[in-house]
Amino acid sequence: EADIYQTPRYLVIGTGKKITLECSQTMGHDKMYWYQQDPGMELHLIHYSYGVNSTEKGDLSSESTVSRIRTEHFPLTLESARPSHTSQYLCASSAKDRAGNTIYFGEGSWLTVV
Amino acid sequence: LAKTTQPISMDSYEGQEVNITCSHNNIATNDYITWYQQFPSQGPRFIIQGYKTKVTNEVASLFIPADRKSSTLSLPRVSLSDTAVYYCLVALSGGSYIPTFGRGTSLIVHP
């Protein structure tokens, strides 16, 4: 069983507020990812990291930012939340195993901006 | 990066066997094939992985023909709880691979 944790699980905040979604993994994985997914829709990669001090933007443009100061921690921040940011945010990490990059997901953070 | 194609949706009934096929025509020599399952409001989870021929675990079987240009996920005797989205990914072993999931196959199991 994978050890990757996201907090908060559910959050309702007002427009214009700053929010940080936390993600931590205890598996020592170098690669970490943030995906955004609306209900019934496709998973979109918004950020990823190859390791400490590495951050890259994913396929879907996002106004959020990420940081990777420690291997185990990959927080996502929205400086000024808007209703269009309402979505589920999924954090993941991957292992460089023999078969190549098995991906482990957290339980997700549901963000509602009102 | 090998592109994958799989059906958008499938329907089945409890107790039936379900086979979901994924096409990956430009799979590379070092690529493995991995399937994930996603329930509503949860992140995808690994179910099975293979390189060639057949792999079986307690959840599913994975059939990969000799040319490896496709793979078939087989779920024996599905139940309502197998209703989920199933994703096929083709992953290169090593450093630069970044996983993208696509739309997957939405399987609905009916009573």
Side-chain angles (χ1 to χ4, degrees), chain B residues 61-79:
Chain B
S61 294
L62 179 60
F63 298 93
I64 305 168
D67 66 7
R68 304 200 327 120
K69 293 184 183 299
S70 67
S71 59
T72 299
L73 174 72
S74 181
L75 304 172
R77 295 188 300 280
V78 294
S79 64

Side-chain angles (χ1 to χ4, degrees), chain A residues 21-36:
Chain A
L21 303 180
E22 302 287 349
C23 177
S24 295
Q25 51 97 2
T26 58
M27 298 169 283
H29 292 168
D30 287 325
K31 288 190 197 172
M32 294 190 73
Y33 317 88
W34 277 103
Y35 293 84
Q36 184 177 343

Side-chain angles (χ1 to χ4, degrees), chain A residues 9 31 33 35 37 41-43 45 48 50 59 88 90 96-108 110, chain B residues 30-32 34 36 38 41-46 49 87 89 91-103:
Chain A
R9 289 291 318 279
K31 288 190 197 172
Y33 317 88
Y35 293 84
Q37 186 178 38
M41 304 298 285
E42 189 172 337
L43 270 165
L45 180 67
Y48 60 96
Y50 286 113
D59 301 329
Q88 180 179 211
L90 288 157
K96 280 190 218 174
D97 50 28
R98 178 186 67 89
N101 298 285
T102 302
I103 306 153
Y104 300 91
F105 280 83
E107 293 189 329
W110 280 99
Chain B
N30 293 333
D31 287 344
Y32 279 73
T34 310
Y36 294 84
Q38 184 182 25
S41 301
Q42 296 183 23
R45 67 178 186 125
F46 169 92
Q49 187 174 66
Y87 300 93
L89 268 72
L92 177 66
S93 176
S96 63
Y97 170 73
I98 298 298
T100 55
F101 278 76
R103 293 193 61 180

